Amino acid sequence: MVDSIQHKTVSVNGINMHVADKGPEDGPIILFLHGFPGLWFTWRHQIIALSDLGYRTVAPDLRGYGDSDAPPSISSYTHFHAVGDLVALIDWLGAEKVFVVGHDMGALLAWYLCMFRPDRVKALVSLSTSFYPRNPKVKPVAGFRALYGDDFYIVRFQEPGEIETRFAEYGAERVLKSLYSRHSPKPLHLHKGKEFDDAPITLPSWMSQEDLKYYASKYEQKGFTGPLNYYRALDLDWELTAPWTKSQVQVPVKFMVGDMDLAYNMVGMKEYIHGGGFKKDVPALEEVVVMVGVAHFINEEKPEEVNKHIYDFFQKF
């Protein structure tokens, strides 16, 4: 079925972006935004199922990933660059508005797309990563370091070239296998010198060896620097988004997360999501779905359930 997906290269915002595209050209568009260490391929189950239900499903490799261009500068990976890419892609699709589904870093970018350009989004399904308000007193990296220490993955990602060297020593397949096999709510730490020494021997049931090899082949070709640059730009994003402090997201939203997801179990996150803060910042938040026993890669781990939630929500609009 994956072979039936069309692949295109689109010129957007000064870069060439690879896009997977399936479904009727006149169907309502769903734009799927992957996170780390994903690719368009992250959405294979959603692309096939929802295109069969009449949607045009569009999943790019975000800048820096897969078969899309990877500008060398860290400063080219801000939320503004990524949202600019997406607005240009929506224009290329000839749409006024699209539905959006985002996961992980792709969900974060989706939140900012909704904040910057609510006029282009019909509704959002956010997976794993909730909206979280900008803290004007604490830069993101310093905040993560204070909470989780120097070996926390986002902190380890900050030094250009350092973690790439370690990833190269382990090999892309081992790195990806370790990340995708992780099924723990605890913070992800990459301890210096032994980052993936305890990598699992077996893949999770929801990922085949063929799937892993596809992911690995793209990271072997492209490297990890582009994807990691999004994390290296977080403090710059914090500076640039100061004008949006206390801004609300004004599009209809469904949020889905696994109760074993490390993002859901970060300090203060459950209180924010369930205690009224999330709804205050996202007034049109319609539903929060917590899937029991599910970890971070929710759309790959439980595709049928996630597909139904996406379909049921978007059918309202």
Side-chain angles (χ1 to χ4, degrees), residues 19-217:
V19 176
D21 187 353
K22 183 171 168 60
E25 286 202 6
D26 59 349
I29 296 167
I30 304 177
L31 184 60
F32 291 96
L33 308 178
H34 67 81
F36 178 78
L39 299 165
W40 74 268
F41 188 71
T42 299
W43 301 108
R44 58 199 179 280
H45 306 297
Q46 286 70 42
I47 290 169
I48 292 165
L50 288 154
S51 65
D52 286 347
L53 292 168
Y55 287 92
R56 183 178 180 185
T57 54
V58 179
D61 283 332
L62 297 174
R63 65 165 56 206
Y65 284 87
D67 293 320
S68 293
D69 285 352
S73 171
I74 292 170
S75 61
S76 296
Y77 291 83
T78 70
H79 297 334
F80 290 93
H81 289 85
V83 170
D85 297 346
L86 299 175
V87 171
L89 178 57
I90 294 168
D91 287 343
W92 177 82
L93 290 164
E96 285 295 317
K97 291 189 173 189
V98 297
F99 294 109
V100 180
V101 182
H103 175 254
D104 184 79
M105 181 62 76
L108 181 63
L109 299 177
W111 286 114
Y112 279 93
L113 172 62
C114 292
M115 183 179 285
F116 297 157
R117 295 300 305 271
D119 58 310
R120 309 306 301 269
V121 181
K122 293 180 185 177
L124 167 66
V125 173
S126 177
L127 306 178
S128 177
T129 302
S130 75
F131 180 76
Y132 206 72
R134 179 183 182 275
N135 183 342
K137 297 180 180 178
V138 182
K139 288 189 175 185
V141 177
F144 287 125
R145 182 178 279 111
L147 285 172
Y148 303 114
D150 289 340
D151 285 342
F152 185 61
Y153 75 103
I154 291 174
V155 179
R156 281 297 311 280
F157 286 172
Q158 293 305 309
E159 180 63 33
E162 190 267 335
I163 199 70
E164 288 97 322
T165 298
R166 296 296 297 145
F167 284 1
E169 290 171 1
Y170 282 102
E173 187 168 318
R174 186 171 180 185
V175 170
L176 294 166
K177 187 176 187 179
S178 179
L179 294 171
Y180 277 111
S181 299
R182 196 172 188 277
H183 199 279
S184 170
K186 295 179 180 179
L188 173 58
H189 288 93
L190 300 175
H191 300 292
K192 285 195 174 183
K194 49 183 180 181
E195 290 84 355
F196 300 106
D197 287 357
D198 59 349
I201 297 172
T202 57
L203 281 169
S205 59
W206 48 265
M207 177 172 278
S208 70
Q209 186 64 32
E210 186 179 11
D211 294 338
L212 177 66
K213 285 191 176 298
Y214 180 82
Y215 278 117
S217 70

